[in-house]
Amino acid sequence: MVKIGLLSDTHAWWDDRYMKYFSDCDEIWHAGDIGSVHLLKKLEAIKPVRAVYGNIDGQDIRIIFPKHQRFTIEGVDVWMTHIGGYPGKYAADVVPEIYRRPPKLFISGHSHILKVLYDKTLGLLHINPGAAGQYGFHKKRTLVRFCIDKGEIKDLEIIELGDN
């Protein structure tokens, strides 16, 4: 079993509560718009980080992380990208592959809107953790934690960090 801490759209904003909520996780996943290598290094000091770059990330982040990251962990096929859309409104560059070979877990950021949706058509769970940083129009700053155990995604928690 692995416990995952998931966030997105930090836009270089650090909150000490990232450490509080992610210290008991096995990995931290960042769904893009990291904002700075400095923030990335602070996350890596907590736990190993898997991430994708977002539209505001510069070359310093883009040389470290890909646009799309697809991997298998604990028997779950995961696809993480920053601009991916959501069930019924997937991004154009995601559509061909997601319909040809859907993952079991599809993670995206970008919208600053927390969403957890099950796509019955593709048989996948979509998670957008919302925005953890202060830049943007979102009303609440959010994080997500969950576990993956032998092919099962479970124990999903939504953490509100407060008003933006």
Side-chain angles (χ1 to χ4, degrees):
M1 180 173 77
V2 294
K3 187 169 186 177
I4 306 301
L6 175 63
L7 74 168
S8 186
D9 296 277
T10 48
H11 293 260
W13 177 259
W14 177 259
D15 187 316
D16 286 336
R17 290 174 293 176
Y18 300 161
M19 189 173 306
K20 173 186 173 185
Y21 290 113
F22 293 159
S23 63
D24 67 340
C25 293
D26 297 299
E27 294 186 7
I28 298 170
W29 296 355
H30 198 303
D33 280 1
I34 299 164
S36 75
V37 172
H38 178 70
L39 179 129
L40 174 62
K41 291 195 181 303
K42 288 181 92 165
L43 289 172
E44 288 173 332
I46 303 169
K47 294 293 173 175
V49 174
R50 292 186 200 239
V52 292
Y53 70 77
N55 54 297
I56 66 106
D57 291 318
Q59 280 305 114
D60 56 343
I61 302 286
R62 292 173 188 233
I63 61 172
I64 302 169
F65 296 112
K67 180 177 182 177
H68 302 284
Q69 193 165 160
R70 191 149 185 182
F71 55 94
T72 300
I73 186 166
E74 282 284 315
V76 172
D77 179 11
V78 179
W79 182 357
M80 183 166 49
T81 192
H82 184 60
I83 303 175
Y86 54 90
K89 286 200 107 163
Y90 292 112
D93 71 329
V94 169
V95 168
E97 180 67 8
I98 206 165
Y99 280 95
R100 187 180 73 75
R101 196 168 61 97
K104 185 168 184 178
L105 177 59
F106 182 67
I107 296 170
S108 65
H110 187 62
S111 71
H112 291 224
I113 300 168
L114 173 73
K115 288 184 183 175
V116 178
L117 301 168
Y118 185 71
D119 185 329
K120 292 178 190 172
T121 303
L122 298 179
L124 65 83
L125 180 65
H126 166 69
I127 303 175
N128 183 324
Q134 288 195 318
Y135 175 82
F137 62 87
H138 53 282
K139 303 284 189 229
K140 297 277 184 198
R141 295 184 310 112
T142 53
L143 307 171
V144 172
R145 289 189 303 196
F146 60 95
C147 294
I148 301 176
D149 187 17
K150 298 179 191 113
E152 184 182 352
I153 303 158
K154 62 184 188 178
D155 302 331
L156 191 131
E157 302 172 83
I158 294 167
I159 300 157
E160 287 189 2
L161 297 172
D163 295 341
N164 187 22

